[in-house]
Amino acid sequence: MDQDALKKQVAEAALRYVVEGEVVGVGTGSTANHFIDGLAALKDRIPGAVASSEATAERLRGHGIPVLELNDVDRLPVYVDGADEVNEHREMIKGGGGALTREKIVAAVAREFICIVDASKQVKRLGRFPLPVEVIPMARSHVARKLVALGGRPEYREGFVTDNGNLILDVHNLDILNPIELETTLNNITGVVTNGLFARRPADVVLVGEGGGVSVY
Ligand code: 5RP
């Protein structure tokens, strides 16, 4: 099976976590897109979905799935999203698609975060994937200097603007021994909106698409 087939397989396995009669939170990226495509078959059983990005909202609407504002939803039993890396503690790096801030907000509201990945995303230690950091544009150089002082090598994601009107620095070379501590440290740099470490609020369930089927932990 190629990587995209594994993504589709794991996305379809996540459909059983959707709670009938309840709004579902939906992530961003190619794995999440497979989930949206599968969700279309269940659309008459849910009031709608909360989207973590404009791209996801557009795809949901394309399938006739109502898109609800997070502020109008008083409970969200489940949020389903992909990841760029995930470790054995269900901590993740996310934001390869640049939607990290809205993803983190929806994840914060959800009772259960279901992470869906193909096996290539599993790592022993987070950090091989450059860590995305969303930054207020006028703070770009300031934040970059602080990231260098922490041992990272920030790279400006040229030509990319987040749904919130900000920019992304992708940080290479970070030695992520303590993801919770680093997530907090980075969020405390003035000008940082959010970073792509999801460790303070890790996933609750990780589904992994691999050759022999889908494993769960
Ligand atoms: C987007 C994300 C995605 O979940 C992550 O980049 C994984 O993407 P894909 O499913 O396309 O491999 O965090 O901001």
Side-chain angles (χ1 to χ4, degrees):
M1 268 173 127
D2 68 15
Q3 192 182 15
D4 192 59
L6 293 175
K7 288 180 179 193
K8 187 167 190 286
Q9 178 193 48
V10 74
E12 285 172 357
L15 291 168
R16 73 179 171 87
Y17 289 86
V18 174
V19 181
E20 224 167 284
E22 300 281 356
V23 178
V24 59
V26 184
T28 298
S30 54
T31 317
N33 281 346
H34 284 303
F35 176 75
I36 296 167
D37 297 346
L39 191 62
L42 307 180
K43 69 179 173 196
D44 296 334
R45 298 196 219 158
I46 55 169
V50 168
S52 64
S53 65
E54 299 299 337
T56 286
E58 196 176 314
R59 197 175 185 101
L60 287 162
R61 286 193 197 100
H63 283 297
I65 301 169
V67 177
L68 308 174
E69 286 293 324
L70 184 62
N71 286 321
D72 296 335
V73 167
D74 53 15
R75 59 176 191 272
L76 195 60
V78 169
Y79 174 57
V80 178
D81 197 0
D84 299 299
E85 285 186 349
V86 59
N87 68 15
E88 61 184 335
H89 306 295
R90 304 189 203 93
E91 297 165 333
M92 298 158 283
I93 286 183
K94 293 183 44 54
L100 58 160
T101 299
R102 294 190 187 194
E103 291 172 342
K104 205 174 270 196
I105 293 168
V106 182
V109 173
R111 194 173 64 220
E112 208 174 21
F113 185 145
I114 314 293
C115 173
I116 49 174
V117 290
D118 66 85
S120 72
K121 307 288 187 66
Q122 283 188 295
V123 296
K124 271 246 164 297
R125 189 191 291 186
L126 298 171
R128 198 179 50 213
F129 190 91
L131 180 67
V133 179
E134 180 164 353
V135 176
I136 301 284
M138 72 174 287
R140 186 184 78 200
S141 299
H142 166 71
V143 172
R145 284 190 291 270
K146 294 286 185 190
L147 292 169
V148 169
L150 288 169
R153 183 171 59 78
E155 197 175 281
Y156 176 36
R157 203 182 287 186
E158 295 273 358
F160 184 86
V161 179
T162 71
D163 285 347
N164 313 307
N166 299 313
L167 56 86
I168 298 280
L169 296 175
D170 292 301
V171 191
H172 300 251
N173 288 351
L174 283 174
D175 197 14
I176 309 185
L177 289 173
N178 186 333
I180 294 177
E181 193 177 273
L182 184 63
E183 182 178 359
T184 306
T185 301
L186 296 178
N187 281 344
N188 282 337
I189 300 173
T190 304
V192 167
V193 179
T194 293
N195 71 84
L197 275 170
F198 284 56
R200 291 159 51 112
R201 197 274 183 257
D204 300 291
V205 177
V206 178
L207 304 183
V208 184
E210 42 205 1
V214 173
S215 64
V216 184
Y217 69 96

